[in-house]
Amino acid sequence: MPTDTEHDRWAAVGGDLADLRTAIAARREAIRQAHAERRCGRETVAAMTALMDGLLRALYRRVGVTGEALDRPGSGCAVVAVGGYGRGELFPASDVD
């Protein structure tokens, strides 16, 4: 589960696709720099996973799923993570599709 800060970061990004891409690139660069300076691989993978968790949660809310429906079965929408991301191991060069 992403931190409140990670979720707030994405919730604050405007609806424009260019703004979203810019924000993603900036966050990925911050994670890369932190890794180069002091992080071990596990911290970097956890940060990448939190980035995607927060981003997907914010996008999920933007399509109108909020409050209790966000985590309630039968809300009509689901996001399923598999592979490395599903295991909470999103590497910097990993993709999500």
Side-chain angles (χ1 to χ4, degrees):
M1 182 68 82
T3 64
D4 288 339
T5 303
E6 195 68 48
H7 176 262
D8 292 344
R9 173 180 289 117
W10 299 115
V13 174
D16 186 277
L17 186 56
D19 291 343
L20 186 59
R21 285 183 175 156
T22 299
I24 292 168
R27 184 67 185 125
R28 288 176 63 97
E29 178 61 18
I31 292 169
R32 187 199 66 74
Q33 286 179 356
H35 176 74
E37 292 172 9
R38 65 186 174 281
R39 278 201 175 138
C40 73
R42 286 185 181 165
E43 290 173 336
T44 299
V45 167
M48 291 296 299
T49 301
L51 178 158
M52 192 56 58
D53 284 346
L55 174 61
L56 289 174
R57 193 170 185 89
L59 291 173
Y60 195 69
R61 285 190 169 146
R62 281 188 188 184
V63 297
V65 181
T66 59
E68 290 180 23
L70 188 63
D71 297 313
R72 186 185 73 235
S75 65
C77 186
V79 176
V80 178
V82 297
Y85 178 50
R87 291 188 303 272
E89 299 172 345
L90 189 62
F91 284 77
S94 295
D95 65 339
V96 175
D97 39 37

